[in-house]
Amino acid sequence: MAKEYFVDNLKNFWAQGDVITLTFERLGMVDGKEEPVGETVLKLTMKGQNLVNMTNALNGILNKLKEKK
């Protein structure tokens, strides 16, 4: 069974040739701080073509959401 991660932010991305790494973080409040602090929860590494495929899928989801409005 795949793990599920709830993320609040794309913290960073890194590209080395055809390999891309996306770093996602979860924001949470820390005592003594007024702003939420980010904690890395997932580093996702993939080939460039997989990023293109994922981007196309996400754009399709966004278009469907726009149609519903």
Side-chain angles (χ1 to χ4, degrees):
M1 181 176 195
K3 290 185 179 182
E4 183 175 339
Y5 298 92
F6 188 89
V7 297
D8 295 310
N9 191 28
L10 173 60
K11 180 179 179 181
N12 198 3
F13 68 92
W14 175 80
Q16 177 81 27
D18 191 35
V19 177
I20 314 304
T21 299
L22 305 173
T23 303
F24 296 92
E25 68 180 4
R26 180 86 171 114
L27 300 175
M29 296 305 294
V30 174
D31 289 340
K33 303 253 183 180
E34 290 186 23
E35 297 293 322
V37 175
E39 175 187 359
T40 298
V41 293
L42 177 65
K43 285 189 175 183
L44 182 61
T45 302
M46 67 189 88
K47 294 273 189 158
Q49 185 59 50
N50 291 331
L51 179 62
V52 170
N53 295 343
M54 184 172 72
T55 301
N56 290 338
L58 292 171
N59 282 329
I61 292 168
L62 288 174
N63 289 334
K64 287 185 185 275
L65 290 172
K66 287 179 188 176
E67 290 172 7
K68 289 184 178 183
K69 288 185 177 184

